[in-house]
Amino acid sequence: MIKRVLKMKPILIKDNKSYDKSKLDAIPSLTNQVLDKTLNQLEQEGLFIFPNIKDNSDDLCGEQMILQSFNNNYYSSNVMGFLGFGEEQLFIQSRFSVVDEETNRDYFFQYLLEKVLELPNITNFDTFSSQSEQIFNLYMFLFPLYLKKAMRKGFFKTYVWRKYNKSNVQGIVDVKAHIQVNTPFVGNVAFKQREFSFDNDMNQLIRHTIEYVKNQSFGSVIVAKIKNESNKIIEATPTYEYFDRNKVISNNKQNTIRHAYYYEYRVLQRLCLMILQHQKHNIGFGSNHINGILFDGAWLWEEYINKLIGAGFYHPKNKSRVGAQQLFSKESGYQVGLIYPDFISKNNDNRIIADTKYKPIKNIDSKDYLQVLAYMFRFNAKKGFYIYPESDSAVNPSLQMYLNEGTTFEQNVNHQEDIVITKLGLIIPQRTDLTYSEFYRAMQSNENRLIKSILNE
């Protein structure tokens, strides 16, 4: 008798929310795999985290947790994505998603991916049935980004064994092969030699991934982004054979890249293996280990805002140590107080400091205020902004806060008219009747209003 396995419906939660523990009762094994574990731990266990904790994300701390328990509740963080363990699935959506029994419209998450990563509008997450396929597509859409990043380090080069059969012996005699091919003896000797080569398992893995992606319905869109890199890989792998794919996959699984210098290739290696092993089937079903893909919502939000206002602002980056500013002078002989404001306006006469916050407005608190005020004081800025995503049900998405002067001890506290910090929310449409095209147009209109508010136009 053949048993039919019924697919379990995914459990959906949203970022920056609290849930009663009973919400996840249907996925106990998966919950146990991620609960109270840091992103560093989960990345080591096989989860694919974008951007990588090590080198890209200013806001995504390796000690952050996807799901944290406290009393009888679970708390989600800024992380969004898709997780699977066995037959259990968990989708962490943006808090602006609209979900009902039939559909799953996370237009905001889709919009961020499209704008920041320049993904074509193929990755929609409208229905539960299409989720697994679309998640797998995300791996392929990310492939060009990681390939370019790895190849900026140069070609991956390592030692490989090459087999020869000729009279001029230059390596170790392969006795077994020699007997097989050189009987009767005619002057050649079979031997193998260890050589430094570009045509190695890693580059072969990349080549097989390129060839696989080419054959997908949208492969031309992806390959067009890596035309130069693709040509170089093809040139470097003259021994490529389609039927060697399983062997190449096996060799790469057994010999993961460990050298710190080639960290980017290590991440690319994992991504290629995910693509070639069709892990779309493993995000939820049939897998005996935690897997999936997670996105840092705070990083996506900051890079999205940079797309909107970047032309008029400097954009320092903490993790990559780009655009560091000094809080104090160098006269002491030390670099004291390196700071990285999110955005510093290029207008020196009317300087503006802007800080992006993906978290809800109620979570922007005292330490956030102190940080932006310090930046404003350092750059002689009179205006500061917290730019955050806000629900379309918000009564007032813009809140101005004027800096006080004086003390309560002297009963002379007054606000200063010329120093103001504004909590400026970008309205995210959440109407249930919107199509994605309508959502897209509404976002563009809201973006224009936000830019005008910042530049006081």
Side-chain angles (χ1 to χ4, degrees), residues 133-282:
E133 184 73 27
Q134 299 297 348
I135 295 164
F136 176 63
N137 290 346
L138 277 175
Y139 289 133
M140 286 187 281
F141 291 135
L142 291 173
F143 175 63
L145 184 70
Y146 282 93
L147 177 60
K148 288 183 177 182
K149 184 181 296 184
M151 290 189 67
R152 282 198 289 268
K153 283 285 183 74
F155 270 116
F156 183 80
K157 194 174 183 180
T158 189
Y159 282 104
V160 297
W161 285 102
R162 299 283 187 227
K163 294 183 178 181
Y164 297 96
N165 185 44
K166 54 185 181 180
S167 59
N168 184 19
V169 180
Q170 296 176 322
I172 301 172
V173 175
D174 188 339
V175 177
K176 182 178 179 181
H178 179 70
I179 294 173
Q180 290 175 341
V181 300
N182 294 320
T183 302
F185 182 69
V186 293
N188 289 335
V189 176
F191 65 92
K192 57 184 179 179
Q193 186 176 9
R194 198 163 181 254
E195 301 174 351
F196 217 38
S197 175
F198 292 125
D199 194 1
N200 50 59
D201 286 331
M202 180 66 233
N203 288 333
Q204 284 285 345
L205 182 70
I206 298 171
R207 173 71 181 277
H208 280 275
T209 306
I210 291 171
E211 299 298 335
Y212 176 83
V213 170
K214 278 182 181 179
N215 292 322
Q216 305 308 303
S217 58
F218 44 78
S220 59
V221 176
I222 298 175
V223 175
K225 295 183 177 182
I226 52 171
K227 185 176 180 179
N228 292 335
E229 291 80 7
S230 177
N231 289 338
K232 290 178 181 178
I233 289 294
I234 291 172
E235 184 179 349
T237 53
T239 62
Y240 166 81
E241 291 287 348
Y242 170 80
F243 296 104
D244 289 339
R245 183 163 297 173
N246 288 336
K247 176 184 175 183
V248 169
I249 290 173
S250 177
N251 289 345
N252 276 275
K253 289 174 69 175
Q254 294 174 16
N255 300 287
T256 56
I257 296 171
R258 302 187 183 278
H259 198 288
Y261 178 78
Y262 286 119
Y263 172 78
E264 291 80 4
Y265 274 98
R266 185 192 317 165
V267 179
L268 178 61
Q269 185 183 47
R270 286 183 55 214
L271 181 60
C272 290
L273 288 172
M274 287 177 178
I275 293 171
L276 293 177
Q277 292 181 108
H278 301 275
Q279 281 207 351
K280 63 180 178 181
H281 302 301
N282 288 338

